[in-house]
Amino acid sequence: MKIYNTLTKKVDDFIPNEDGKVKMYTCGPTVYHFAHIGNLRTYIMEDVLEKLLRYSGYDVTRVMNITDVGHLSSDGDTGEDKMLKGAKREHKTVLEIAEFYRKAFFSDCEKLNIKYPDIVEPATNCISEFITMVSGLIDKGYAYLADGNVYFDTSKVPNYNDLSGHSTEELMVGVRDDVTEDKSKRNKSDFVLWFTKSKFDDQELKWESPWGIGYPGWHIECSAICMKHLGAKLDIHCGGVDNIFPHHTNEIAQSEAYTGEKWCNYWFHVHHLNDETGKMSKSKGDFLTVSLIESKGYDPLAYRFFCLQSHYRKPLVFSYEALDQATQTYNKLIKRIAGLKKDGEIDNAFVENAKNTFIEKVGNDVNTALGITCIYDILKANTNDISKLEALKSIDYVLSVGLIDRAEKLNAQASTTSNEASANDNISPELKAKIEELIAKRAEAKKAKDFATADAIRGELSEMGVTIKDTREGTLYTIND
Ligand code: AMP
Ligand code: ZN
């Protein structure tokens, strides 16, 4: 397998430290709000990477943290703690917020066929690990105490900018006059490992530490959680591109300072999903969630399919038109698969060959678009349907767009549709015409995103004693008894 490595800035052959085993770490969500579909683009592509590694024969252990403390409204050391902001917004405690949005996150992941990581670790579970690591960094001379906070001294790390590619000028000693930075820092890029003082004194969760009552910085979480579960050496670390600096840069600095050796060999970063006005972000208030697109009638797996059509290293622009197009292509594909017959013998050589071709194509820097091409190649192949189904099932372990599951559902639906159609046979032609006219008007309203009208029509039908059901085949109706 080959992967673009942000550290070397080229596509590298993937060779894990231990033969056949992969230690993988993923920065998890900050659970102060729902994940937007941009965050989930990152998790979808990381899921493909993990499954591709497994599909290629590696034994993967994947760890994900849950950020429930320490992530400030900037990715640096300024602003209010995001969790506290969430708690204030909803008049709940920080732990209630964390619990609610952690569950919401994994429920979204399930809808998108994103596998649950082997280990999920909330930061608030690991305070003693953070304290041990910060103490170690002070002992080794990499961290210092100033005005109540513990800082990491970035000037002690000559390769600090290797990952981000930033210029060393930014690491110059002394806080520049024009930067309203924390004056306690020795260097502009130093960062807080442990806070006991911040502008926001009402931090809800605080713990005893050798430096006073306080809470950890965001960056130390990932290094300590990663080492707790995966040891001193990591094969691959993932996240969105916004994590490259300062988060991952700081993770490398503190981890390597702590262990005295190279920490992680491969850095995998997913580019952002943007909306037409720019980067999608939770702080913008009105943001796109899986539930929102579902409520508009989209299948979450059609969103996954939309993401897989593009390469993870390119920015992707979201629009409903683009999602409509992906949905259309996806539905057509599912319909084709639903038409495959299950008779005959499986041609195992064909399936094996399809699998190897898939690994070769997608394994070249997680090329998911080529993975989708593999689906069409299988469908076009000169073999029986049952072998095609088997090959599709096999590669869908990685793509996870529900190729078999959705096709089976479509076939099951088609048989209920024909039952329902015959149950509606004794309706008068006038009533049938009226119902169909209203259904058509509702479809138009939905297409024009006029959801108020669409809902009003559903109400009108309900008053007439008609229940409607939206399916991939169109809207079905039944007359209530
Ligand atoms: P957060 O919950 O804010 O810590 O972010 C969770 C993950 O989503 C991180 O890996 C981020 O890098 C990633 N991310 C944030 N915004 C976007 C976006 N617009 N598109 C893709 N990934 C994103
Ligand atoms: Zn992280």
PDB file of all heavy atoms in Angstrom, residues 27-30 36 38-39 42-43 71 239-240 242-243 271-273 279-280 282, ligand 1:
ATOM      1  N   CYS A  27      -7.687  11.385  15.831  1.00  0.00           N
ATOM      2  CA  CYS A  27      -8.211  12.430  16.715  1.00  0.00           C
ATOM      3  C   CYS A  27      -9.730  12.345  16.686  1.00  0.00           C
ATOM      4  O   CYS A  27     -10.352  12.411  15.625  1.00  0.00           O
ATOM      5  CB  CYS A  27      -7.781  13.808  16.242  1.00  0.00           C
ATOM      6  SG  CYS A  27      -6.036  14.086  16.527  1.00  0.00           S
ATOM      7  N   GLY A  28     -10.310  12.189  17.850  1.00  0.00           N
ATOM      8  CA  GLY A  28     -11.763  12.040  17.932  1.00  0.00           C
ATOM      9  C   GLY A  28     -12.463  13.380  18.014  1.00  0.00           C
ATOM     10  O   GLY A  28     -11.824  14.435  17.969  1.00  0.00           O
ATOM     11  N   PRO A  29     -13.780  13.352  18.149  1.00  0.00           N
ATOM     12  CA  PRO A  29     -14.551  14.590  18.119  1.00  0.00           C
ATOM     13  C   PRO A  29     -14.456  15.381  19.429  1.00  0.00           C
ATOM     14  O   PRO A  29     -14.244  14.794  20.486  1.00  0.00           O
ATOM     15  CB  PRO A  29     -15.984  14.084  17.927  1.00  0.00           C
ATOM     16  CG  PRO A  29     -15.995  12.751  18.594  1.00  0.00           C
ATOM     17  CD  PRO A  29     -14.636  12.162  18.327  1.00  0.00           C
ATOM     18  N   THR A  30     -14.621  16.681  19.321  1.00  0.00           N
ATOM     19  CA  THR A  30     -14.826  17.509  20.507  1.00  0.00           C
ATOM     20  C   THR A  30     -16.338  17.517  20.710  1.00  0.00           C
ATOM     21  O   THR A  30     -17.083  18.024  19.868  1.00  0.00           O
ATOM     22  CB  THR A  30     -14.276  18.938  20.260  1.00  0.00           C
ATOM     23  OG1 THR A  30     -12.937  18.808  19.783  1.00  0.00           O
ATOM     24  CG2 THR A  30     -14.290  19.752  21.540  1.00  0.00           C
ATOM     25  N   HIS A  36     -20.622  17.926  12.183  1.00  0.00           N
ATOM     26  CA  HIS A  36     -21.207  18.311  10.895  1.00  0.00           C
ATOM     27  C   HIS A  36     -20.709  17.345   9.820  1.00  0.00           C
ATOM     28  O   HIS A  36     -19.774  16.558  10.064  1.00  0.00           O
ATOM     29  CB  HIS A  36     -20.959  19.779  10.553  1.00  0.00           C
ATOM     30  CG  HIS A  36     -19.519  20.211  10.513  1.00  0.00           C
ATOM     31  ND1 HIS A  36     -18.605  19.659   9.660  1.00  0.00           N
ATOM     32  CD2 HIS A  36     -18.843  21.143  11.229  1.00  0.00           C
ATOM     33  CE1 HIS A  36     -17.445  20.243   9.833  1.00  0.00           C
ATOM     34  NE2 HIS A  36     -17.550  21.148  10.792  1.00  0.00           N
ATOM     35  N   GLY A  38     -18.954  17.735   7.426  1.00  0.00           N
ATOM     36  CA  GLY A  38     -17.530  17.946   7.102  1.00  0.00           C
ATOM     37  C   GLY A  38     -16.667  17.100   8.016  1.00  0.00           C
ATOM     38  O   GLY A  38     -15.803  16.342   7.556  1.00  0.00           O
ATOM     39  N   ASN A  39     -16.906  17.200   9.327  1.00  0.00           N
ATOM     40  CA  ASN A  39     -16.173  16.333  10.274  1.00  0.00           C
ATOM     41  C   ASN A  39     -16.315  14.888   9.821  1.00  0.00           C
ATOM     42  O   ASN A  39     -15.348  14.127   9.807  1.00  0.00           O
ATOM     43  CB  ASN A  39     -16.762  16.413  11.688  1.00  0.00           C
ATOM     44  CG  ASN A  39     -16.758  17.800  12.296  1.00  0.00           C
ATOM     45  OD1 ASN A  39     -17.780  18.291  12.750  1.00  0.00           O
ATOM     46  ND2 ASN A  39     -15.616  18.437  12.307  1.00  0.00           N
ATOM     47  N   THR A  42     -14.107  13.459   7.153  1.00  0.00           N
ATOM     48  CA  THR A  42     -12.814  12.997   7.664  1.00  0.00           C
ATOM     49  C   THR A  42     -12.943  11.589   8.246  1.00  0.00           C
ATOM     50  O   THR A  42     -12.138  10.702   7.950  1.00  0.00           O
ATOM     51  CB  THR A  42     -12.278  14.009   8.707  1.00  0.00           C
ATOM     52  OG1 THR A  42     -11.960  15.206   8.007  1.00  0.00           O
ATOM     53  CG2 THR A  42     -11.045  13.510   9.416  1.00  0.00           C
ATOM     54  N   TYR A  43     -13.988  11.363   9.039  1.00  0.00           N
ATOM     55  CA  TYR A  43     -14.135  10.031   9.660  1.00  0.00           C
ATOM     56  C   TYR A  43     -14.470   8.950   8.632  1.00  0.00           C
ATOM     57  O   TYR A  43     -14.073   7.795   8.796  1.00  0.00           O
ATOM     58  CB  TYR A  43     -15.171  10.076  10.794  1.00  0.00           C
ATOM     59  CG  TYR A  43     -14.662  10.924  11.942  1.00  0.00           C
ATOM     60  CD1 TYR A  43     -15.187  12.184  12.205  1.00  0.00           C
ATOM     61  CD2 TYR A  43     -13.592  10.490  12.724  1.00  0.00           C
ATOM     62  CE1 TYR A  43     -14.683  12.981  13.226  1.00  0.00           C
ATOM     63  CE2 TYR A  43     -13.080  11.277  13.735  1.00  0.00           C
ATOM     64  CZ  TYR A  43     -13.629  12.517  13.984  1.00  0.00           C
ATOM     65  OH  TYR A  43     -13.103  13.295  14.990  1.00  0.00           O
ATOM     66  N   HIS A  71     -10.153  21.642  24.830  1.00  0.00           N
ATOM     67  CA  HIS A  71     -10.106  22.220  23.480  1.00  0.00           C
ATOM     68  C   HIS A  71     -10.742  23.609  23.548  1.00  0.00           C
ATOM     69  O   HIS A  71     -11.941  23.735  23.747  1.00  0.00           O
ATOM     70  CB  HIS A  71     -10.873  21.313  22.513  1.00  0.00           C
ATOM     71  CG  HIS A  71     -10.615  21.630  21.063  1.00  0.00           C
ATOM     72  ND1 HIS A  71     -11.073  20.848  20.033  1.00  0.00           N
ATOM     73  CD2 HIS A  71      -9.942  22.648  20.470  1.00  0.00           C
ATOM     74  CE1 HIS A  71     -10.693  21.358  18.888  1.00  0.00           C
ATOM     75  NE2 HIS A  71     -10.013  22.458  19.126  1.00  0.00           N
ATOM     76  N   GLY A 239      -6.283  12.662  10.883  1.00  0.00           N
ATOM     77  CA  GLY A 239      -7.094  13.812  11.278  1.00  0.00           C
ATOM     78  C   GLY A 239      -7.435  14.656  10.060  1.00  0.00           C
ATOM     79  O   GLY A 239      -7.022  14.327   8.935  1.00  0.00           O
ATOM     80  N   GLY A 240      -8.161  15.719  10.269  1.00  0.00           N
ATOM     81  CA  GLY A 240      -8.452  16.650   9.183  1.00  0.00           C
ATOM     82  C   GLY A 240      -7.258  17.579   8.984  1.00  0.00           C
ATOM     83  O   GLY A 240      -6.413  17.699   9.881  1.00  0.00           O
ATOM     84  N   ASP A 242      -6.919  20.673   9.173  1.00  0.00           N
ATOM     85  CA  ASP A 242      -6.787  21.762  10.159  1.00  0.00           C
ATOM     86  C   ASP A 242      -6.029  21.298  11.401  1.00  0.00           C
ATOM     87  O   ASP A 242      -5.561  22.115  12.189  1.00  0.00           O
ATOM     88  CB  ASP A 242      -8.174  22.291  10.579  1.00  0.00           C
ATOM     89  CG  ASP A 242      -9.057  21.191  11.144  1.00  0.00           C
ATOM     90  OD1 ASP A 242      -9.178  20.143  10.485  1.00  0.00           O
ATOM     91  OD2 ASP A 242      -9.610  21.375  12.244  1.00  0.00           O
ATOM     92  N   ASN A 243      -5.900  19.980  11.574  1.00  0.00           N
ATOM     93  CA  ASN A 243      -5.169  19.447  12.726  1.00  0.00           C
ATOM     94  C   ASN A 243      -3.641  19.502  12.542  1.00  0.00           C
ATOM     95  O   ASN A 243      -2.909  19.335  13.512  1.00  0.00           O
ATOM     96  CB  ASN A 243      -5.558  17.979  12.984  1.00  0.00           C
ATOM     97  CG  ASN A 243      -6.925  17.830  13.621  1.00  0.00           C
ATOM     98  OD1 ASN A 243      -7.529  16.777  13.567  1.00  0.00           O
ATOM     99  ND2 ASN A 243      -7.438  18.882  14.246  1.00  0.00           N
ATOM    100  N   HIS A 271      -8.671  16.380   3.555  1.00  0.00           N
ATOM    101  CA  HIS A 271      -8.983  17.781   3.254  1.00  0.00           C
ATOM    102  C   HIS A 271     -10.417  18.100   3.630  1.00  0.00           C
ATOM    103  O   HIS A 271     -11.235  17.218   3.826  1.00  0.00           O
ATOM    104  CB  HIS A 271      -8.716  18.082   1.776  1.00  0.00           C
ATOM    105  CG  HIS A 271      -8.021  19.402   1.644  1.00  0.00           C
ATOM    106  ND1 HIS A 271      -8.654  20.577   1.959  1.00  0.00           N
ATOM    107  CD2 HIS A 271      -6.758  19.725   1.283  1.00  0.00           C
ATOM    108  CE1 HIS A 271      -7.800  21.584   1.785  1.00  0.00           C
ATOM    109  NE2 HIS A 271      -6.643  21.087   1.383  1.00  0.00           N
ATOM    110  N   HIS A 272     -10.708  19.392   3.697  1.00  0.00           N
ATOM    111  CA  HIS A 272     -12.025  19.810   4.211  1.00  0.00           C
ATOM    112  C   HIS A 272     -13.166  19.677   3.221  1.00  0.00           C
ATOM    113  O   HIS A 272     -12.976  19.773   2.013  1.00  0.00           O
ATOM    114  CB  HIS A 272     -11.950  21.261   4.673  1.00  0.00           C
ATOM    115  CG  HIS A 272     -11.385  21.369   6.042  1.00  0.00           C
ATOM    116  ND1 HIS A 272     -10.889  22.526   6.560  1.00  0.00           N
ATOM    117  CD2 HIS A 272     -11.243  20.427   7.017  1.00  0.00           C
ATOM    118  CE1 HIS A 272     -10.465  22.299   7.796  1.00  0.00           C
ATOM    119  NE2 HIS A 272     -10.658  21.034   8.084  1.00  0.00           N
ATOM    120  N   LEU A 273     -14.330  19.509   3.800  1.00  0.00           N
ATOM    121  CA  LEU A 273     -15.574  19.673   3.057  1.00  0.00           C
ATOM    122  C   LEU A 273     -15.967  21.135   3.272  1.00  0.00           C
ATOM    123  O   LEU A 273     -15.986  21.612   4.408  1.00  0.00           O
ATOM    124  CB  LEU A 273     -16.667  18.767   3.642  1.00  0.00           C
ATOM    125  CG  LEU A 273     -18.011  18.887   2.931  1.00  0.00           C
ATOM    126  CD1 LEU A 273     -17.990  18.061   1.646  1.00  0.00           C
ATOM    127  CD2 LEU A 273     -19.153  18.384   3.819  1.00  0.00           C
ATOM    128  N   LYS A 279     -15.380  27.170   4.414  1.00  0.00           N
ATOM    129  CA  LYS A 279     -15.234  25.992   5.281  1.00  0.00           C
ATOM    130  C   LYS A 279     -16.447  25.813   6.186  1.00  0.00           C
ATOM    131  O   LYS A 279     -16.977  26.774   6.718  1.00  0.00           O
ATOM    132  CB  LYS A 279     -13.960  26.168   6.126  1.00  0.00           C
ATOM    133  CG  LYS A 279     -13.612  24.921   6.906  1.00  0.00           C
ATOM    134  CD  LYS A 279     -12.585  25.194   7.990  1.00  0.00           C
ATOM    135  CE  LYS A 279     -12.851  24.267   9.161  1.00  0.00           C
ATOM    136  NZ  LYS A 279     -12.164  24.634  10.382  1.00  0.00           N
ATOM    137  N   MET A 280     -16.841  24.553   6.315  1.00  0.00           N
ATOM    138  CA  MET A 280     -17.962  24.255   7.193  1.00  0.00           C
ATOM    139  C   MET A 280     -17.449  24.268   8.626  1.00  0.00           C
ATOM    140  O   MET A 280     -16.388  23.728   8.902  1.00  0.00           O
ATOM    141  CB  MET A 280     -18.406  22.841   6.857  1.00  0.00           C
ATOM    142  CG  MET A 280     -19.859  22.634   7.010  1.00  0.00           C
ATOM    143  SD  MET A 280     -20.295  21.121   6.186  1.00  0.00           S
ATOM    144  CE  MET A 280     -20.607  21.706   4.542  1.00  0.00           C
ATOM    145  N   LYS A 282     -18.650  24.286  13.038  1.00  0.00           N
ATOM    146  CA  LYS A 282     -19.735  24.211  14.012  1.00  0.00           C
ATOM    147  C   LYS A 282     -20.041  25.586  14.574  1.00  0.00           C
ATOM    148  O   LYS A 282     -21.157  25.872  14.941  1.00  0.00           O
ATOM    149  CB  LYS A 282     -19.322  23.292  15.165  1.00  0.00           C
ATOM    150  CG  LYS A 282     -19.137  21.869  14.755  1.00  0.00           C
ATOM    151  CD  LYS A 282     -18.878  21.001  15.964  1.00  0.00           C
ATOM    152  CE  LYS A 282     -18.080  19.776  15.575  1.00  0.00           C
ATOM    153  NZ  LYS A 282     -17.784  18.888  16.649  1.00  0.00           N
TER     154      LYS A 282
HETATM  155  P1  AMP B   1     -13.561  18.460  16.062  1.00  0.00           P
HETATM  156  O1  AMP B   1     -14.773  17.725  16.559  1.00  0.00           O
HETATM  157  O2  AMP B   1     -13.796  19.906  15.818  1.00  0.00           O
HETATM  158  O3  AMP B   1     -12.359  18.233  16.975  1.00  0.00           O
HETATM  159  O4  AMP B   1     -13.184  17.860  14.636  1.00  0.00           O
HETATM  160  C1  AMP B   1     -13.248  16.496  14.342  1.00  0.00           C
HETATM  161  C2  AMP B   1     -12.510  16.171  13.050  1.00  0.00           C
HETATM  162  O5  AMP B   1     -13.115  16.832  11.926  1.00  0.00           O
HETATM  163  C3  AMP B   1     -11.050  16.626  13.053  1.00  0.00           C
HETATM  164  O6  AMP B   1     -10.267  15.587  12.499  1.00  0.00           O
HETATM  165  C4  AMP B   1     -11.041  17.849  12.157  1.00  0.00           C
HETATM  166  O7  AMP B   1      -9.803  18.014  11.535  1.00  0.00           O
HETATM  167  C5  AMP B   1     -12.113  17.478  11.141  1.00  0.00           C
HETATM  168  N1  AMP B   1     -12.759  18.623  10.459  1.00  0.00           N
HETATM  169  C6  AMP B   1     -13.113  19.826  10.978  1.00  0.00           C
HETATM  170  N2  AMP B   1     -13.738  20.599  10.038  1.00  0.00           N
HETATM  171  C7  AMP B   1     -13.788  19.859   8.896  1.00  0.00           C
HETATM  172  C8  AMP B   1     -14.316  20.065   7.567  1.00  0.00           C
HETATM  173  N3  AMP B   1     -14.932  21.193   7.223  1.00  0.00           N
HETATM  174  N4  AMP B   1     -14.164  19.064   6.652  1.00  0.00           N
HETATM  175  C9  AMP B   1     -13.542  17.909   6.990  1.00  0.00           C
HETATM  176  N5  AMP B   1     -13.052  17.638   8.227  1.00  0.00           N
HETATM  177  C10 AMP B   1     -13.157  18.585   9.170  1.00  0.00           C
END
